[in-house]
Amino acid sequence: MAAAMQDMQSNTNETSTLRKRRAGSPIPKQDGSLKETDNDEKKVRLKCEEKFHVIQTGTFWLTRVVLLRCTAFIYFVAFLVAYDQNKQLIGEKGLLPCKQYLKSVKRYVGGKIDMKALSYTPTVLWFLDWSDMDANLDCIALLGLGLSAFVLLTGCANMIIMSLLWILYHSLVSVGQIWCPKILFQTPTWDLVIYHFHVLCFSGWESQLLETGFLGIFLCPLWSLRTVPRNTPPSRIVIWAFRWLIFRIMLGAGLIKLRGDRCWRDLTCMDYHYETQPVPNPMAYYMHRSPWWFHSFETLFNHVIELIVPFFIFMGRRMCAVNGLLQILFQVVLIVSGNLSFLNWLTIVPSIACFDDASLGFLFRSGQGGVKHQVEKVQSEGKPATTWGMQIRRVADISVGLLIVCLSMPVVLNLVSSQQIMNTSFNPLRIVNTYGAFGSITKERTEVVIQGTLSADPSDPGALWEEYEFKCKPGDLRRRPCLISPYHYRLDWLMWFAAFQTYEQNEWVIHLAGRLLANDTLTLSLMAHNPFEGREPPRWVRGEHFRYKFSAPGGNHAAEGKWWIRRRIGPYFPPVNSSGLRKYFEARDWPHPDSE
């Protein structure tokens, strides 16, 4: 009986061995060694992994790389705008010199540069030599351009680089005044500056970039410049902070519309938007003539994207990705149909946090040593052993999360308030802000056209008044609307606001006129056309107020090459000459062109 059992066991073992061989296993050597078999299996497995490149869900290594590169791109554009235009706007001879602004803040806080001054105006310019403010502004912008270009091209960053970018741009925004929308009131004589955090701004992209950049600091390792630093995985708290940012941006924009202009509720706002937006582009010319039902659909779709879709963030991975995709597509449509600076490009950035590595893997090339391969390797190795550095980083991430929660409280109260205020910060560092856009829509477009004459008598009916052309804003009826996004012409943008206010509310317009009277080359670099180039300066400059409308495609005006038609409303500011502005400039501590 025992012998029979042994025979059966022997047959079973032989059968099992034969099955393994049939399955493709190599015949082992006589010494019983299977080392070659193991090595071959490993090679086959590695080849399969390299072929298919399976990225796991739930991690954000690739998300971090995309977020950092996109943030760096916006920083690069913002610093480029600053380098090109800061000297003309806030430099020594700028329309609103930042040196005078800093002096007024210093007087207001007691004549000392201390924490009170820094809390009012957080800028490194406090600690630099003010004898050459233009050089200071250029150095800040150039350093920002260099650092942002490095992050953009390499996809590598650490907390030090991202902190420097944030500090540098904060330093420019803090002294930008109306050119970089400020949250403050100031008197015309600069003798008093009243700082208040609950004031409505013209636009919110400066604060939005600062909040985005602040979160970008905590995406990175402290020192390492590796694209995939294994011991510093992306913080889920920071990823959720980005998601919270896009949620507030979109919901705030949607709510301010419902509580604002009636045309958002009766679905007619898009009948006017394309023509009356600050700086239309060529596509806006054609979209303005869309049928009424299409404009109604656009307005309704806008409400869905801003009021309903943001809640997808809290409905799981797939719905969160749907939100991210819809928000990005929505911003692309806005980019195509208008010149809203880098605002829409910037709004795409936090939407990227709605995607994990598995969703963004297609953006990266496959291959040994690439970013995608490094992420696969990190995922396969599992969580690294916890170190003291990782513990400290976890505490820092939790602290940032708690800070955002605390600073979000007044923001949430503002969102649910019937007296909602858009584009406002409740803290001097602009870490968490409120957002919104186009709560009201202007139904007619008005423009200020600046003209100059060589005539000695501005009231002479025979005086020849010649027009200045701005870089992008409507002027010449035959000039095609410009296409500049994500770049931004700050002067053109503010001229749009000045057109539906008065020159008394925009005293910098008179400063601009004074500079044009002197044929000032620095100021004229902001203009597209100077009618007095190569000639003597104008004797008088005036502002005329016009109502502009798009011409009808295929109509008589369009056949004449006109993109616009216009009708004069009246004078915007009266004719002024250089001598007559001397006291006006002295009262505001502006350098008079004749004395330079």
Side-chain angles (χ1 to χ4, degrees):
M1 190 71 178
M5 292 293 292
Q6 289 179 356
D7 290 341
M8 290 176 64
Q9 186 174 1
S10 176
N11 291 335
T12 302
N13 291 338
E14 289 177 2
T15 302
S16 176
T17 302
L18 287 172
R19 287 176 180 168
K20 290 181 179 178
R21 291 175 183 174
R22 287 171 188 166
S25 298
I27 300 176
K29 294 182 179 180
Q30 291 183 352
D31 60 2
S33 174
L34 294 176
K35 290 183 179 179
E36 291 186 7
T37 304
D38 293 341
N39 290 336
D40 290 342
E41 290 178 351
K42 288 180 179 178
K43 289 179 181 178
V44 171
R45 187 167 62 251
L46 288 173
K47 287 181 180 179
C48 290
E49 290 176 357
E50 290 178 2
K51 182 177 180 180
F52 294 105
H53 294 285
V54 178
I55 297 287
Q56 299 174 17
T57 62
T59 61
F60 300 93
W61 299 95
L62 300 179
T63 307
R64 170 163 63 187
V65 176
V66 179
L67 278 170
L68 288 175
R69 275 189 156 150
C70 290
T71 303
F73 170 72
I74 304 301
Y75 266 133
F76 184 85
V77 174
F79 280 114
L80 179 62
V81 172
Y83 180 71
D84 286 344
Q85 303 176 35
N86 270 357
K87 293 187 292 294
Q88 300 93 314
L89 300 176
I90 60 174
E92 296 280 356
K93 300 179 182 179
L95 299 181
L96 289 175
C98 66
K99 182 189 293 187
Q100 275 70 33
Y101 169 71
L102 289 173
K103 288 179 179 179
S104 69
V105 174
K106 186 177 178 181
R107 287 194 298 269
Y108 179 68
V109 299
K112 297 180 180 179
I113 301 176
D114 52 15
M115 288 304 299
K116 190 175 181 181
L118 279 173
S119 66
Y120 270 55
T121 308
T123 176
V124 297
L125 289 171
W126 286 119
F127 311 106
L128 301 180
D129 183 9
W130 292 1
S131 61
D132 192 351
M133 192 61 78
D134 288 352
N136 294 337
L137 295 172
D138 280 349
C139 286
I140 291 174
L142 287 172
L143 182 56
L145 277 171
L147 291 174
S148 57
F150 171 80
V151 178
L152 174 62
L153 295 175
T154 65
C156 303
N158 56 29
M159 294 183 75
I160 296 174
I161 292 177
M162 297 304 291
S163 296
L164 283 173
L165 285 170
W166 186 76
I167 291 170
L168 291 171
Y169 197 63
H170 212 308
S171 295
L172 295 178
V173 171
S174 295
V175 297
Q177 303 157 82
I178 63 171
W179 312 110
C180 297
K182 285 292 294 172
I183 306 171
L184 65 96
F185 288 115
Q186 62 192 38
T187 62
T189 59
W190 297 90
D191 290 332
L192 177 64
V193 175
I194 305 174
Y195 199 95
H196 198 283
F197 297 121
H198 304 76
V199 181
L200 179 64
C201 297
F202 288 136
S203 56
W205 60 73
E206 309 293 356
S207 295
Q208 188 176 325
L209 177 52
L210 289 173
E211 182 170 351
T212 303
F214 179 81
L215 296 178
I217 296 172
F218 298 93
L219 271 179
C220 308
L222 178 60
W223 300 104
S224 174
L225 285 175
R226 293 182 179 178
T227 311
V228 185
R230 190 174 186 278
N231 291 328
T232 314
S235 168
R236 289 179 179 270
I237 292 176
V238 178
I239 293 296
W240 272 102
F242 274 106
R243 294 175 179 178
W244 174 234
L245 172 57
I246 187 61
F247 177 82
R248 286 184 288 111
I249 291 171
M250 302 312 296
L251 188 62
L255 290 175
I256 201 69
K257 290 180 176 68
L258 287 185
R259 294 165 176 158
D261 203 313
R262 181 178 177 180
C263 69
W264 287 113
R265 298 187 293 276
D266 59 27
L267 306 184
T268 59
C269 273
M270 299 308 293
D271 294 345
Y272 313 100
H273 168 73
Y274 294 115
E275 184 176 73
T276 62
Q277 62 179 307
V279 186
N281 69 5
M283 184 60 69
Y285 174 81
Y286 296 101
M287 294 188 73
H288 177 65
R289 297 298 177 178
S290 300
W292 67 267
W293 58 265
F294 182 76
H295 286 318
S296 297
F297 171 76
E298 286 181 301
T299 311
L300 182 62
F301 180 73
N302 181 93
H303 292 329
V304 171
I305 289 292
E306 294 183 341
L307 295 169
I308 297 176
V309 172
F311 289 94
F312 290 3
I313 290 175
F314 310 106
M315 297 181 183
R317 174 179 173 268
R318 291 185 179 180
M319 294 302 290
C320 185
V322 169
N323 169 75
L325 180 61
L326 289 175
Q327 299 300 352
I328 290 173
L329 292 175
F330 182 58
Q331 298 306 317
V332 171
V333 171
L334 297 179
I335 290 169
V336 170
S337 61
N339 292 303
L340 297 176
S341 180
F342 51 77
L343 173 62
N344 305 120
W345 301 77
L346 176 60
T347 306
I348 289 174
V349 177
S351 300
I352 295 168
C354 296
F355 305 98
D356 60 10
D357 291 341
S359 302
L360 296 178
F362 74 96
L363 295 175
F364 297 82
R365 65 176 180 85
S366 302
Q368 192 76 20
V371 176
K372 193 173 180 179
H373 182 265
Q374 294 179 50
V375 172
E376 293 168 357
K377 185 177 179 181
V378 169
Q379 288 181 340
S380 63
E381 291 173 353
K383 293 183 179 180
T386 304
T387 64
W388 279 105
M390 294 172 68
Q391 294 283 16
I392 295 173
R393 181 55 184 262
R394 189 171 293 117
V395 171
D397 290 339
I398 294 173
S399 301
V400 171
L402 293 174
L403 174 65
I404 292 173
V405 169
C406 292
L407 295 178
S408 295
M409 291 180 181
V411 173
V412 172
L413 292 176
N414 179 70
L415 277 176
V416 300
S417 171
S418 60
Q419 303 298 319
Q420 178 191 359
I421 303 173
M422 67 180 186
N423 300 327
T424 304
S425 181
F426 297 92
N427 60 88
L429 296 180
R430 307 189 188 196
I431 296 173
V432 180
N433 313 290
T434 68
Y435 301 103
F438 296 107
S440 60
I441 296 290
T442 53
K443 307 304 188 294
E444 293 182 332
R445 180 178 199 90
T446 57
E447 292 287 348
V448 177
V449 175
I450 297 181
Q451 304 171 338
T453 183
L454 293 173
S455 175
D457 182 7
S459 59
D460 182 1
L464 176 63
W465 290 93
E466 302 177 72
E467 296 184 4
Y468 290 87
E469 281 292 323
F470 288 78
K471 295 276 190 179
C472 201
K473 90 174 191 68
D476 183 0
L477 303 181
R478 288 180 170 81
R479 190 175 70 167
R480 186 191 68 183
C482 65
L483 184 63
I484 56 168
S485 179
Y487 194 80
H488 180 46
Y489 291 117
R490 297 190 183 278
L491 179 60
D492 294 54
W493 185 272
L494 264 294
M495 288 298 293
W496 180 74
F497 283 95
F500 52 80
Q501 298 172 331
T502 66
Y503 76 89
E504 290 90 350
Q505 296 171 294
N506 298 273
E507 295 183 338
W508 56 270
V509 174
I510 304 301
H511 195 175
L512 173 63
R515 290 287 167 181
L516 297 179
L517 284 165
N519 259 356
D520 181 66
T521 55
L522 188 65
T523 302
L524 286 167
S525 66
L526 297 173
M527 313 293 286
H529 172 64
N530 172 22
F532 301 95
E533 184 176 3
R535 303 155 58 190
E536 62 177 298
R539 295 187 179 184
W540 297 88
V541 166
R542 72 181 183 184
E544 291 288 282
H545 213 183
F546 286 88
R547 181 171 290 111
Y548 272 65
K549 293 179 67 69
F550 277 139
S551 64
N556 294 333
H557 293 95
E560 297 173 3
K562 294 181 179 179
W563 292 79
W564 299 94
I565 56 178
R566 74 183 186 184
R567 181 171 61 85
R568 184 177 181 272
I569 300 173
Y572 183 76
F573 65 84
V576 294
N577 62 8
S578 184
S579 59
L581 289 178
R582 183 173 297 278
K583 290 184 178 180
Y584 190 89
F585 275 49
E586 290 175 354
R588 287 150 183 81
D589 202 19
W590 294 338
H592 193 276
D594 290 347
S595 62
E596 294 173 356

